[in-house]
Amino acid sequence: MEAKLMNRTFHWVEYRRYIRLLPPDPQNGTRCAFVLRDVCPFEVAAELLAGLEPRARVVGVESEQHAPEHRSTTSLLRSRVAAGTWEQEGSRIQIRVTSGRDTLSLALDLRNGSYRGFSGRLDWLDYYMTDEHEQVTRFNLGRSPHGDGEPSNREKDHYPSLFIRPCPSLEHFL
């Protein structure tokens, strides 16, 4: 091991990504998206994302080190929601959200959800960040080379498939 890494310690946090895709705006056709990255359970994330005003502008994600300690869990979670837009071309869904001064691009493939039914899952295709200096950082998704959406290492699946779940409280927006 390199000498400079000998005394370094790392704290690994496993978090999840929750995505809310909104239908096109009837006036201008804009397709808005919200992305939440946190360790919270699905029920908490669904309640938070369902409570966001669909056309509201969300101020970007705060860095962990600058987040005030005294905030409530809801406001802390809300600060971790990034807003952007999405496009669909065939089964590919491309999401672009702003997080501070960076732009995150998520590319997902709409697939059958096996036992969950038709078009029930999104598999990761690409995930990268473009910073304010136009430098691109690609994230290693750890996907199998077979193109089946499966992880290359089942013990370390950091980007699992996203399952599509209905949210009855949002059906009135359709």
Side-chain angles (χ1 to χ4, degrees), residues 37 115 138 153 163:
R37 187 186 81 174
Y115 69 92
R138 292 204 177 274
N153 179 350
F163 290 100

Side-chain angles (χ1 to χ4, degrees), residues 83-104:
T85 59
W86 66 279
E87 299 172 358
Q88 182 177 2
E89 186 174 318
S91 65
R92 183 185 177 103
I93 295 176
Q94 183 77 35
I95 303 169
R96 285 187 180 76
V97 295
T98 302
S99 173
R101 294 183 174 169
D102 301 327
T103 301
L104 296 169

Side-chain angles (χ1 to χ4, degrees), residues 17 19 21 33 35 85-97 103-111 121-130 136-143 147 149 159-162:
R17 287 162 197 84
I19 299 172
L21 301 176
V35 177
T85 59
W86 66 279
E87 299 172 358
Q88 182 177 2
E89 186 174 318
S91 65
R92 183 185 177 103
I93 295 176
Q94 183 77 35
I95 303 169
R96 285 187 180 76
V97 295
T103 301
L104 296 169
S105 297
L106 300 77
L108 303 153
D109 187 35
L110 182 61
R111 294 196 171 203
R121 119 185 158 195
L122 296 169
D123 287 339
W124 289 89
L125 296 174
D126 197 11
Y127 185 29
Y128 61 92
M129 177 180 67
T130 307
V136 175
T137 303
R138 292 204 177 274
F139 299 101
N140 180 358
L141 300 175
R143 299 290 86 190
Y159 295 92
S161 297
L162 302 167

